[in-house]
Amino acid sequence: MDEITSVFVTESREQIAALESALLQLENSPRDDDTLNAIFRSAHTIKGGAGVIECGYIVAFTHVVENLLDRLREHAINADADLIALLLGCADHIGNLLGVLESGAAGPDANLAADGDALLARLQRDWLSDEGSRAGLPSVAPVQLEASGGGAVESDCWHISVRFGADVLRNGMDPLSFLRYLGSIGHIVHLETLADAMPEAAEMDPETCYLGFEISFASGADKAAIERVFDFVRDECTLNILPPHSRLSDYIALINTLPEDSMRLGEILVRIGALTQGELEDGLRQQTAVPADEVESATAPAAAPQPIGEILVERKVVQSELVDAAIARQKQVTEKKAAEARLIRIQADKLDRLIDLVGELVIAGASVNLLAGRTGVGELIEATSLTGRLVESIRDAALQLRMVQIGETFNRFHRVVRDTSREMGKEIELSVSGGDTELDKSMVEKIGDPLMHLVRNAMDHGLELPAVREASGKPARGRLELNAFHDSGSIVIEVADDGAGLNRERILAKAVERGLVQPGQSLSDAEVYNLIFEPGFSTAEKVTNISGRGVGMDVVRRNIQGLRGSVDVSSEPGKGSRFAIRLPLTLAIIDGFLVGVGNAAYVIPLDSVVECIELGVDGSVRDYVNLRGEVLPLVRLRQLFGMAGEPPGRQNVVVVQYAGNKSGIVVDQLMGEFQTVIKPLGNLFRNIRGIGGSTILGSGEVALILDVQALVQRCASREAQRAEGADAGRALLAAAAT
Amino acid sequence: MPTRRKKPRRLAIGEDLTIYHAAAQKQQFIDALASAPEQLDIDLSGVVEIDTAGFQLLMLVKREARRLGKEARIVAHGEAVRELIEFYNVAAEFGDPLLIPAQGA
């Protein structure tokens, strides 16, 4: 695929997304002009682009859609649910066609083509047909135009009408040469020279050009190419180009625009074969009938002479409706220029390379800092600290480049929710919040699928049918929430529903059946709920095509873990369930907190650090301390990693927090803040719990990055086990007592 | 062949019909037309080059002649003139016999 095509595909996909969201908006406000215009623009841009890359089948399809949108925009028809559903189907189809283009196939296969035809037939039958037979309407001619297949020569011609400005001859430009050049890009079928503008002999200035031409021109060139012929005299001539199969009203409008007498022009048009006599009479009759007549034929102008401004406006109207690639192309160029000012498209790997380099810079900077500190030269230290600060800013800026808002990902779900809820006969309202929360671009891409699965799952299994909901005293309309927010160095994405909630008993029964847990094993609610993430686990009574094949949740969890994230579920019977995905903000560089145990250095992600305290005497014997009235479980790194040597007299506790749980990490030394470039551990160490990666210190030594999530969870589960052990013990005692 | 009561005036253009001579040639044409009794025969056989300005003059003289109730005919022309008249598709309007060169037919 060449570059222009790939740019077209990318941009068109964006346009389709915009189109889709605008269509969904339209559902709520069917007569909103802004929305209607936005929809039209999107479709128009896609069509224009397709014309530029000469992708006939996309132009053909989009064109009919555009016609319909145009009628919508003029309020000639109203958008109802059916039409919106149909248009959404059309947007999907355009997406599929883009896929075909991307795959490099010559055209859509039979199935896809049949789908497209079916959609077009519905559009035509239900929304365009009553107008189809009349000449002044957009629907008829364009379809034929596309039938020509990418602008291949056909018997019907472009009509070019040009009036040269008075000074062209004097400026050394001879109309003859333009017309001859025109002949080189196509075939001049018929040319009429008009000298009507030439005054009486006495006033005639032989150096002034008075000529105009009506040309019938057969060519496979597009409009832009034809216009380019006249580029040099563009400012000095009046140029009108009508594509093949233009509407009669366009010709009439042209006749009215031109300075010559309209009857004479009409005859000329007939003579050069642009119009038939019948069409001309028809057109002129229509024209005189206009004032009394319809609203929609905006292009047919009043018969009376018009002020020039009106003519110009009118001409614009006519142009905007023309079926041509050229205008769209020009528009695209200007639009693209405007967009380029705001956005630069760059390849992701260039960005990755930049971030890699910044990572190396951070490491090198740390080393410089360390060495400068050793020299004890004040000025040097000052200079390096300044560099350090700049490096930090560069790092932040570089990482910021990769950050995108999650809102776009969320918005995709409006459509999914809408379609799925219809399919299932449920009423579901999607509410999105926190769309402006930013996270790494690579993560946004990867989070889409798991999120989709959770959403579908919630709609399919979570939310009940309206009747069931009403029976249990809830509003018939189910509510699905998507939410995102930042929380201590992570981003949390929540999918929540107010449905039936998870069925603890059924999950447990299933788990026992699958041998995931032993019968009689006592599990906390959270543990039971999290069983749904085990491979091959599905409690859906029936398999639907939405979800429930039992291949989902474990894949969801694996995908999320692949991003160094985690997923949790909480649920309340009858009230609904909430899935929380927790992801690290970035994958590459973090602010770390450097601590020392024995000779080794460890890095704790600074975002998860709450505070540092000194380990008191009581903490040295127990595995928890009293932190202002709270029980803080301790993790002793020395024990955890089995390190030799005696702890120093004074140990410190770094209080960390993850997903609402706090724990204390007991270390020997606090060494302060440290910018950390995360280097992944090799495959060999992949299964080590508690270590998230490694980094290189300024001194060249390696420090391990602690996986706070794993450590905190380890603490939490140990606590839970202990508590349950106590419970079980009490239960035994109780049983023994009875 | 219409019956001629008076001998037509003949105007031969020796130089190129281009914008460089257009002003002078216009006068030449107008004067010749004014002095022509009924018919002006224009001999363009000496014209090797013609441009749109020159062509306009031909249009002008044809129209002016019609206005004055006279007739202006191009009686001889070179290849360049023929080609231009054909390109601008005014041969029928001018109504002059055009010689199609043998090799081009």
Side-chain angles (χ1 to χ4, degrees):
Chain A
M1 198 166 50
D2 58 1
E3 200 184 331
I4 181 163
T5 310
S6 80
V7 169
F8 166 71
V9 170
T10 323
E11 288 184 353
S12 296
R13 291 212 187 281
E14 285 167 13
Q15 292 292 349
I16 290 177
L19 183 71
E20 224 177 75
S21 69
L23 279 171
L24 294 173
Q25 262 177 41
L26 200 64
E27 251 180 354
N28 302 326
S29 50
R31 291 186 71 84
D32 182 46
D33 281 335
D34 286 347
T35 317
L36 286 167
N37 283 332
I39 293 172
F40 182 82
R41 255 196 324 271
S42 296
H44 189 74
T45 310
I46 294 174
K47 194 189 80 176
V52 171
I53 60 157
E54 293 180 353
C55 178
Y57 51 91
I58 294 185
V59 179
F61 184 83
T62 321
H63 184 83
V64 182
V65 176
E66 196 191 80
N67 283 334
L68 181 84
L69 294 175
D70 193 36
R71 311 222 344 111
L72 259 179
R73 198 167 58 148
E74 287 165 4
H75 298 299
I77 46 178
N78 278 326
D80 60 12
D82 272 358
L83 181 56
I84 290 174
L86 183 57
L87 285 172
L88 284 171
C90 291
D92 288 346
H93 186 71
I94 296 172
N96 293 339
L97 291 178
L98 286 172
V100 172
L101 180 65
E102 227 169 0
S103 70
D109 61 23
N111 279 338
L112 196 57
D115 287 352
D117 290 345
L119 285 169
L120 291 186
R122 278 180 62 196
L123 283 179
Q124 203 68 259
R125 189 189 64 223
D126 299 345
W127 304 99
L128 293 164
S129 60
D130 55 332
E131 313 286 349
S133 55
R134 281 205 263 147
L137 280 152
S139 55
V140 188
V143 182
Q144 288 165 355
L145 171 68
E146 288 130 24
S148 72
V153 179
E154 51 182 88
S155 62
D156 304 276
C157 303
W158 293 80
H159 181 78
I160 302 168
S161 168
V162 55
R163 300 288 176 273
F164 286 95
D167 289 330
V168 291
L169 292 175
R170 231 170 267 134
N171 293 341
M173 291 180 287
D174 193 320
L176 190 60
S177 42
F178 296 107
L179 297 175
R180 283 202 204 280
Y181 179 55
L182 181 68
S184 72
I185 63 163
H187 172 59
I188 296 178
V189 177
H190 200 104
L191 179 143
E192 280 287 326
T193 305
L194 295 172
D196 297 41
M198 192 154 66
E200 296 286 301
E203 284 133 47
M204 188 264 191
D205 176 350
E207 290 182 3
T208 299
C209 182
Y210 300 103
L211 297 183
F213 302 90
E214 298 292 321
I215 304 161
S216 174
F217 183 61
S219 171
D222 63 9
K223 185 170 177 180
I226 297 175
E227 280 179 333
R228 266 200 299 279
V229 170
F230 299 96
D231 262 357
F232 282 113
V233 281
R234 177 65 67 70
D235 299 338
E236 295 180 67
C237 75
T238 317
L239 182 65
N240 283 290
I241 301 177
L242 295 183
H245 294 302
S246 282
R247 288 175 273 147
L248 185 53
S249 59
D250 289 340
Y251 280 106
I252 302 300
L254 171 69
I255 291 175
N256 281 288
T257 318
L258 295 174
E260 288 87 2
D261 172 68
S262 54
M263 273 326 279
R264 179 166 144 68
L265 275 170
E267 279 159 23
I268 287 172
L269 289 177
V270 172
R271 203 168 347 135
I272 69 170
L275 299 176
T276 65
Q277 190 64 40
E279 280 171 335
L280 176 68
E281 280 163 15
D282 206 30
L284 292 174
R285 209 170 36 242
Q286 192 182 327
Q287 177 187 354
T288 42
V290 164
D293 203 19
E294 74 263 61
V295 203
E296 71 234 340
S297 180
T299 50
Q306 287 168 297
I308 189 83
E310 214 170 291
I311 289 173
L312 287 177
V313 168
E314 183 157 288
R315 207 152 45 147
K316 234 179 205 149
V317 169
V318 171
Q319 281 195 342
S320 74
E321 287 170 358
L322 281 185
V323 193
D324 59 71
I327 287 278
R329 181 191 185 139
Q330 282 177 330
K331 217 174 122 193
Q332 209 191 21
V333 169
T334 44
E335 271 176 8
K336 227 166 121 185
K337 267 189 191 149
E340 265 167 12
R342 282 179 283 113
L343 286 173
I344 310 173
R345 280 177 198 282
I346 56 165
Q347 276 165 345
D349 48 0
K350 282 190 187 166
L351 211 54
D352 290 344
R353 170 113 191 89
L354 174 69
I355 287 173
D356 282 351
L357 283 176
V358 170
E360 296 302 321
L361 184 64
V362 168
I363 292 174
S367 156
V368 171
N369 244 341
L370 192 83
L371 293 176
R374 278 193 201 151
T375 60
V377 180
E379 283 158 0
L380 183 59
I381 294 173
E382 198 174 310
T384 52
S385 84
L386 182 64
T387 338
R389 213 163 60 229
L390 288 173
V391 168
E392 210 168 303
S393 309
I394 291 174
R395 178 203 67 178
D396 287 346
L399 288 178
Q400 196 63 41
L401 288 179
R402 291 189 58 97
M403 298 299 247
V404 291
Q405 297 192 346
I406 199 169
E408 213 168 299
T409 312
F410 277 179
N411 285 338
R412 282 217 309 260
F413 288 102
H414 282 290
R415 172 78 189 278
V416 175
V417 169
R418 178 191 172 280
D419 288 358
T420 316
S421 60
R422 279 191 191 202
E423 201 175 308
M424 294 188 302
K426 296 179 180 177
E427 286 177 47
I428 301 171
E429 178 191 337
L430 176 68
S431 89
V432 167
S433 52
D436 53 356
T437 313
E438 289 189 324
L439 81 164
D440 197 277
K441 167 107 173 101
S442 60
M443 256 189 283
V444 166
E445 282 160 7
K446 288 179 189 144
I447 201 65
D449 283 350
L451 212 50
M452 178 71 79
H453 202 94
L454 290 179
V455 166
R456 291 189 165 227
N457 206 63
M459 285 190 292
D460 202 19
H461 303 320
L463 293 165
E464 315 93 323
L465 290 165
V468 180
R469 288 181 65 87
E470 271 171 348
S472 54
K474 288 195 274 194
R477 193 159 228 236
R479 198 177 150 80
L480 189 66
E481 278 174 48
L482 282 175
N483 185 23
F485 56 92
H486 286 279
D487 177 45
S488 54
S490 321
I491 176 167
V492 180
I493 303 167
E494 290 182 325
V495 180
D497 64 68
D498 66 348
L502 294 172
N503 187 329
R504 188 192 146 105
E505 302 316 315
R506 210 159 70 209
I507 294 170
L508 204 54
K510 187 99 177 182
V512 171
E513 184 193 315
R514 292 270 156 120
L516 294 170
V517 294
Q518 294 304 313
Q521 195 175 342
S522 78
L523 294 167
S524 69
D525 281 359
E527 278 170 317
V528 172
Y529 294 145
N530 280 307
L531 282 173
I532 62 168
F533 293 111
E534 294 301 323
F537 199 95
S538 172
T539 61
E541 279 139 356
K542 58 175 187 215
V543 170
T544 68
N545 64 348
I546 310 294
S547 61
R549 293 207 180 87
V551 287
M553 291 312 229
D554 59 319
V555 179
V556 169
R557 184 166 69 174
R558 235 190 1 256
N559 284 349
I560 292 169
Q561 281 174 345
L563 297 169
R564 296 200 298 123
S566 65
V567 58
D568 267 307
V569 57
S570 58
S571 176
E572 216 174 315
K575 294 263 178 68
S577 25
R578 178 173 294 265
F579 290 84
I581 301 172
R582 202 165 256 280
L583 294 169
L585 270 184
T586 66
L587 296 170
I589 306 177
I590 54 167
D591 272 321
F593 188 72
L594 197 61
V595 297
V597 179
N599 290 326
Y602 294 93
V603 175
I604 302 170
L606 192 62
D607 293 312
S608 56
V609 174
V610 181
E611 62 182 320
C612 298
I613 52 173
E614 194 182 319
L615 186 65
V617 190
D618 58 335
S620 48
V621 284
R622 291 198 300 263
D623 273 347
Y624 55 88
V625 289
N626 180 346
L627 177 69
R628 294 185 290 276
E630 242 180 281
V631 177
L632 184 73
L634 296 181
V635 182
R636 292 174 196 277
L637 284 190
R638 192 175 280 276
Q639 274 173 22
L640 187 66
F641 296 135
M643 288 169 54
E646 277 302 303
R650 236 172 63 174
Q651 296 187 81
N652 291 290
V653 177
V654 182
V655 180
V656 293
Q657 184 174 11
Y658 187 83
N661 292 325
K662 274 186 191 168
S663 26
I665 298 175
V666 181
V667 298
D668 292 357
Q669 266 179 291
L670 302 176
M671 288 144 79
E673 231 176 277
F674 177 71
Q675 282 190 71
T676 311
V677 180
I678 300 177
K679 304 265 178 192
L681 289 172
N683 268 343
L684 202 55
F685 304 108
R686 242 212 347 235
N687 293 321
I688 294 182
R689 300 269 289 163
I691 300 289
S694 63
T695 190
I696 299 169
L697 299 179
S699 59
E701 285 169 51
V702 171
L704 296 175
I705 301 168
L706 296 181
D707 181 352
V708 169
Q709 173 195 353
L711 290 177
V712 170
Q713 270 169 1
R714 196 189 131 92
C715 268
S717 64
R718 203 178 54 194
E719 289 295 305
Q721 270 169 15
R722 200 176 288 164
E724 259 161 37
D727 277 352
R730 266 198 295 279
L732 273 178
L733 284 176
T738 48
Chain B
M1 186 66 75
T3 44
R4 281 176 220 155
R5 274 161 295 170
K6 287 171 189 165
K7 192 178 177 288
R9 173 151 160 58
R10 192 177 178 91
L11 172 70
I13 302 288
E15 55 206 336
D16 293 343
L17 270 172
T18 60
I19 188 158
Y20 304 105
H21 311 293
Q25 283 165 344
K26 178 198 166 197
Q27 210 48 50
Q28 225 176 332
F29 276 124
I30 299 299
D31 291 347
L33 195 60
S35 63
E38 258 175 37
Q39 198 175 341
L40 176 67
D41 285 357
I42 305 169
D43 182 353
L44 298 177
S45 54
V47 175
V48 189
E49 212 186 320
I50 178 167
D51 68 3
T52 303
F55 169 77
Q56 274 194 142
L57 288 179
L58 295 182
M59 294 278 288
L60 180 78
V61 71
K62 283 274 182 187
R63 209 177 63 184
E64 194 63 11
R66 242 192 333 267
R67 193 176 65 85
L68 299 172
K70 299 180 182 180
E71 194 184 354
R73 296 194 312 168
I74 298 169
V75 291
H77 57 81
E79 181 58 16
V81 176
R82 181 193 67 84
E83 208 210 56
L84 189 75
I85 288 177
E86 280 190 345
F87 185 86
Y88 279 149
N89 196 23
V90 287
E93 199 181 327
F94 280 11
D96 301 311
L98 288 178
L99 255 67
I100 296 165
Q103 72 269 27

